[in-house]
Amino acid sequence: MASPPITELTDRARDIFRLVVEDYLASGQPVGSKALAQHGAVNLSPASIRSVLSELEQLGLLAAPHTSAGRMPTESGLRMFVDGIMQVAEPTQHERAAIEKQLSAPGPIEAALEKTSSILSDISGAAGMVMVPKREPTLAQMRLVPLDNTRALAVLVGEDGHVENRVLELGEGITSSAMQEAGNYITAQLAGRTLAEAANAMRGEIKSGKSALDEISARLVEAGIAVWSEDSSQRPVLIVRGQAKLLDDTALEDIERVRSLLDDLENKQSVAQLLERAREADSARIFIGAENRLFALSGSSVIASPYRDREGKVVGVVGVIGPTRLNYARVVPMVDFTARSLGKRIGKTG
């Protein structure tokens, strides 16, 4: 059932609807007529309130769980609330300063991305998500360290100081000197380039015979290129933190929904595709429940906002995911502010 425009509700119905949604988002529990009558903001008897609640239910804006006489907003009702009634609570000066301080700390950009997802989790009480910029870091050095007779450790260092390790399966007959020669050659080619750029240059030189590498060292170089190229293409583009916060007291009453949500979060590629839909937005976008197919079963909400580099180009998306009873009025502006703060941090290192 399509919900009516907010302008078609009477003032009385709109006030009661707003109170039901706000109380539900605060408590996670259905709201009854007696509680609304005691609220003080509605000068109506419980019987009159029950009549209005019934009308709102017939309009598809509220629902009555079988375990309670109270009402809770439907997904259509939540959509009407966030689009037409909700008044956002802008971050305080203290909150803004705390976020900017965390994100401005020196260190590799990966650390800032990790911090961002944790900050968003803390803000929302749910899980924080950051979609990593789709750009390769500029590389500085690769070393090959022998592990045993058939394996070596490839250590890749970015110009921002970030270090990653991968194990190479090399077969027998590889000497330490061959590894050193290959590592020196790769490092010389990496300077100021991304992995893809360096790989193209190295393959071209080796194929043309200009590299001055012997056959074993050339094989090592090719193995190093292959493992890092494959890893780069398969690496998740999404950082998720705070999943444990989804397991609160109310979640235990609906453990199947939470299990479904956690399963959805394991599929990072699908979550990243959902966040892509927020890339062209000017500010935060809100996806509620079955509005997106990915979270139709778990009945979850996503609040996401794009972040930009110093040229104003969108390079990624930040957001939170949790139950539909997220505190939208508080979380939406915080997600927007965090996105802007991360953009400033990206700009300093871009």
Side-chain angles (χ1 to χ4, degrees):
M1 177 190 298
S3 59
I6 187 67
T7 53
E8 293 186 10
L9 296 181
T10 64
D11 290 344
R12 182 172 69 174
R14 186 163 54 247
D15 289 343
I16 290 176
F17 174 67
R18 176 179 57 79
L19 289 172
V20 170
V21 176
E22 290 177 346
D23 284 2
Y24 170 74
L25 294 181
S27 68
Q29 300 297 322
V31 183
S33 56
K34 183 177 180 181
L36 290 170
Q38 294 173 343
H39 199 288
V42 180
N43 189 22
L44 294 172
S45 68
S48 297
I49 293 174
R50 281 195 295 273
S51 176
V52 176
L53 292 175
S54 179
E55 293 175 8
L56 292 169
E57 187 175 352
Q58 292 174 9
L59 291 172
L61 300 177
L62 299 179
H66 66 277
T67 57
S68 170
R71 304 307 203 282
M72 58 188 288
T74 62
E75 291 179 0
S76 296
L78 284 173
R79 173 52 63 187
M80 173 181 280
F81 174 78
V82 300
D83 286 348
I85 296 178
M86 178 179 73
Q87 293 183 331
V88 298
E90 293 297 331
T92 65
Q93 180 61 37
H94 175 74
E95 290 167 337
R96 292 196 297 268
I99 292 171
E100 289 181 329
K101 181 179 179 180
Q102 286 220 50
L103 293 185
S104 63
I109 192 60
E110 286 81 4
L113 295 170
E114 295 271 358
K115 286 181 181 178
T116 300
S117 55
S118 297
I119 289 168
L120 291 170
S121 176
D122 292 341
I123 289 170
S124 63
M129 304 181 293
V130 176
M131 194 164 70
V132 178
K134 290 186 175 180
R135 61 180 185 179
E136 290 189 83
T138 303
L139 307 174
Q141 182 182 23
M142 178 188 276
R143 294 177 55 208
L144 296 174
V145 182
L147 294 177
D148 53 36
N149 291 335
T150 61
R151 297 182 307 155
L153 186 68
V155 183
L156 194 68
V157 182
E159 286 195 340
D160 62 358
H162 183 65
V163 179
E164 291 192 41
N165 304 316
R166 294 295 181 271
V167 175
L168 300 181
E169 297 289 344
L170 302 174
E172 296 182 358
I174 304 297
T175 65
S176 296
S177 60
M179 289 188 194
Q180 183 174 355
E181 182 182 4
N184 291 341
Y185 175 74
I186 293 173
T187 294
Q189 292 289 343
L190 285 176
R193 294 174 169 177
T194 67
L195 181 61
E197 293 168 344
N200 288 335
M202 283 185 277
R203 283 176 172 145
E205 284 201 1
I206 292 172
K207 187 175 181 180
S208 66
K210 297 179 180 178
S211 66
L213 290 173
D214 61 27
E215 182 179 347
I216 293 179
S217 296
R219 202 169 83 217
L220 277 173
V221 170
E222 183 59 39
I225 294 172
V227 72
W228 284 105
S229 297
E230 178 183 358
D231 178 78
S232 178
S233 66
Q234 296 180 355
R235 188 178 303 166
V237 295
L238 194 69
I239 299 172
V240 182
R241 293 291 180 271
Q243 293 97 317
K245 293 186 178 180
L246 300 171
L247 296 169
D248 59 10
D249 293 339
T250 58
L252 298 179
E253 301 171 7
D254 192 8
I255 196 65
E256 286 304 317
R257 179 191 65 77
V258 177
R259 183 178 290 117
S260 176
L261 172 56
L262 293 175
D263 287 344
D264 291 337
L265 286 177
E266 286 299 311
N267 187 358
K268 289 189 174 182
Q269 196 60 43
S270 294
V271 177
Q273 289 172 1
L274 171 64
L275 294 183
E276 280 282 349
R277 294 168 56 186
R279 286 180 64 92
E280 304 307 318
D282 293 329
S283 57
R285 285 195 63 181
I286 304 171
F287 304 93
I288 299 175
E291 291 179 354
N292 61 84
R293 293 170 58 189
L294 178 61
F295 300 117
L297 293 179
S298 61
S300 307
S301 286
V302 173
I303 301 172
S305 183
Y307 62 98
R308 295 169 167 80
D309 61 17
R310 59 185 173 187
E311 282 80 36
K313 179 182 177 182
V314 173
V315 291
V317 179
V318 302
V320 301
I321 180 170
T324 54
R325 62 177 182 82
L326 285 170
N327 186 342
Y328 299 93
R330 171 172 165 75
V331 176
V332 168
M334 290 290 253
V335 169
D336 270 337
F337 181 78
T338 304
R340 292 194 299 271
S341 298
L342 179 59
K344 293 177 184 177
R345 175 67 170 81
I346 294 286
K348 291 178 181 178
T349 59

